[in-house]
Amino acid sequence: MPAIVSVKKLRKAYDTGFVALKGIDLDIEEGEILALLGPNGAGKTTLISTICGITVPTSGSVTVGGHDTIRDYRAARSLIGLVPQEINLEPFEKVENSVAFSRGLFGKPKDPAKVAEILKLLSLDDKAGSKIKELSGGMKRRVLIAKALAHEPRVLFLDEPTAGVDVELRKDMWNVVADLKSHGVTIILTTHYIEEAEAIADRVGIISKGEILRVQDKTEMMNQMGRKELRVDLTQPVDAIPDALSDYKLALSPDGRAVTYTYDTRADRTGIRRMLNDLDAAGLQMADLATQQSSLEEIFTSLVKEQQT
Ligand SMILES: Nc1ncnc2c1ncn2[C@@H]1O[C@H](COP(=O)(O)OP(=O)(O)OP(=O)(O)O)[C@@H](O)[C@H]1O
Ligand SMILES: [Mg+2]
């Protein structure tokens, strides 16, 4: 199946001469959730707004549903919903009118039933007649999503949907995103919260300094690049790790009851067997063993570091 969004050699130099996108290639499949993960200033917003046709690229091209976002702007744009980072709503407007208005902007016929359906999808049905200013911050964010969905786009871009929101609301937003996906909407979101990408994305793109360093299935990325930790619980606590084991760079837990060995899953030899033998020889007796996968956070940090050196 051809990609719903196809980005080719996209470059953006701002008027200041700053190059915010350095030749991005990216294909987005219909129905997936792609998280673009990157630090401040990485180029996430620039990438999204260029894909949405709001920012003009210096070179390269973008198609959405096969339509070029410059030559065929209207057709491409009608397939896209964009949820901006800032809340920019009219405080005295009623929720349902605000959503209906957004629909009108795309030249779609009035359809109160459709508007009601979108409000329901976002659990805003009981707020349809409320004024925006009467809503909580989380509800306002959901109104932004409802407005972006008003013209029934196939692809939804969310620019930092949970920046600065509390944990509960963040989880609420993740549920909304999962729900939209189950309705067939393709979702691209930007975030600098790694746990957010880890929680909801199918694929993760890591972006830094205007380049996509890697884009891959989330689980695959974590399996391939991850380092693993092996925790060995000891039958007797120790004060320090014996010198004979210094090569393994073991970490001792504060209570002295466990040591942790970090190894690379990609290495030919993990060294686990030898380490366990040496542990035994040093008089440390094992009570239990557990392994733990390193998080996306560590992968992300090491990739961005690698780029800088
Ligand atoms: N209109 C502009 N003119 C000049 N430079 C810009 C403009 N907009 C963005 N930039 C620069 O381009 C780079 C990328 O900005 P962008 O907003 O895309 O980053 P971001 O990844 O969205 O960051 P954040 O996580 O802070 O939202 C930054 O260095 C920024 O200063
Ligand atoms: Mg941004």
Side-chain angles (χ1 to χ4, degrees):
M1 207 164 60
I4 180 107
V5 176
S6 186
V7 176
K8 297 257 187 290
K9 295 193 169 63
L10 195 67
R11 221 180 108 82
K12 174 65 185 179
Y14 281 112
D15 294 342
T16 54
F18 184 82
V19 182
L21 301 177
K22 300 173 183 163
I24 302 266
D25 286 303
L26 179 65
D27 276 349
I28 298 161
E29 300 301 326
E30 182 135 37
E32 74 168 327
I33 299 179
L34 173 73
L36 291 170
L37 187 63
N40 288 134
K44 302 181 296 294
T45 299
T46 305
L47 177 58
I48 283 194
S49 43
T50 312
I51 294 175
C52 294
I54 293 165
T55 298
V56 180
T58 306
S59 59
S61 67
V62 180
T63 60
V64 179
H67 305 287
D68 186 281
T69 49
I70 304 292
R71 281 198 310 274
D72 207 357
Y73 174 77
R74 285 175 68 91
R77 189 65 182 88
S78 74
L79 299 176
I80 296 172
L82 173 62
V83 182
Q85 194 174 334
E86 324 81 59
I87 294 178
N88 51 357
L89 296 163
E90 186 55 54
F92 292 96
E93 184 76 272
K94 279 188 185 163
V95 170
E96 59 194 352
N97 294 346
S98 176
V99 176
F101 177 75
S102 292
R103 184 177 171 87
L105 283 181
F106 283 87
K108 285 262 180 177
K110 281 205 173 80
D111 189 344
K114 193 78 217 174
V115 170
E117 186 189 318
I118 292 166
L119 291 178
K120 188 157 172 37
L121 186 65
L122 290 150
S123 313
L124 286 168
D125 32 343
D126 57 335
K127 299 289 172 194
S130 303
K131 290 189 180 122
I132 301 282
K133 68 184 178 94
E134 296 159 5
L135 304 181
S136 73
M139 290 170 190
K140 283 181 195 155
R141 280 188 187 271
R142 281 189 265 139
V143 172
L144 285 180
I145 299 179
K147 283 169 71 73
L149 291 172
H151 62 287
E152 301 165 70
R154 282 162 64 191
V155 189
L156 184 67
F157 289 86
L158 296 151
D159 198 0
E160 310 228 11
T162 65
V165 310
D166 68 27
V167 179
E168 205 167 317
L169 184 53
R170 183 166 301 156
K171 300 230 160 110
D172 193 42
M173 204 56 93
W174 295 351
N175 289 333
V176 169
V177 169
D179 226 36
L180 291 173
K181 178 187 155 101
S182 75
H183 281 76
V185 182
T186 304
I187 293 156
I188 295 92
L189 61 97
T190 70
T191 182
H192 45 246
Y193 295 116
I194 288 148
E195 78 267 23
E196 183 154 286
E198 209 166 320
I200 57 175
D202 297 312
R203 278 200 307 158
V204 176
I206 294 183
I207 175 167
S208 176
K209 297 190 175 167
E211 289 178 292
I212 293 203
L213 302 181
R214 180 177 277 257
V215 52
Q216 196 174 20
D217 175 84
K218 175 186 65 184
T219 318
E220 233 171 66
M221 184 183 281
M222 295 179 67
N223 284 344
Q224 267 187 22
M225 305 191 52
R227 289 150 68 81
K228 272 191 166 175
E229 287 185 346
L230 176 73
R231 202 190 69 213
V232 183
D233 291 335
L234 304 173
T235 52
Q236 297 290 330
V238 293
D239 296 332
I241 290 169
D243 287 346
L245 299 171
S246 62
D247 282 356
Y248 297 109
K249 299 191 172 62
L250 301 173
L252 185 65
S253 67
D255 65 1
R257 291 188 165 275
V259 293
T260 303
Y261 174 56
T262 306
Y263 60 98
D264 190 337
T265 51
R266 290 169 295 171
D268 294 343
R269 285 163 188 273
T270 59
I272 291 174
R273 185 197 294 260
R274 202 162 58 90
M275 190 276 293
L276 290 176
N277 281 339
D278 288 354
L279 205 67
D280 197 45
L284 274 59
Q285 279 188 11
M286 176 175 92
D288 201 3
L289 273 182
T291 61
Q292 197 190 345
Q293 179 82 52
S294 68
S295 66
L296 197 53
E297 167 125 40
E298 290 155 286
I299 297 171
F300 173 64
T301 312
S302 71
L303 264 180
V304 171
K305 242 191 222 145
E306 242 173 60
Q307 183 198 27
Q308 278 158 359
T309 53

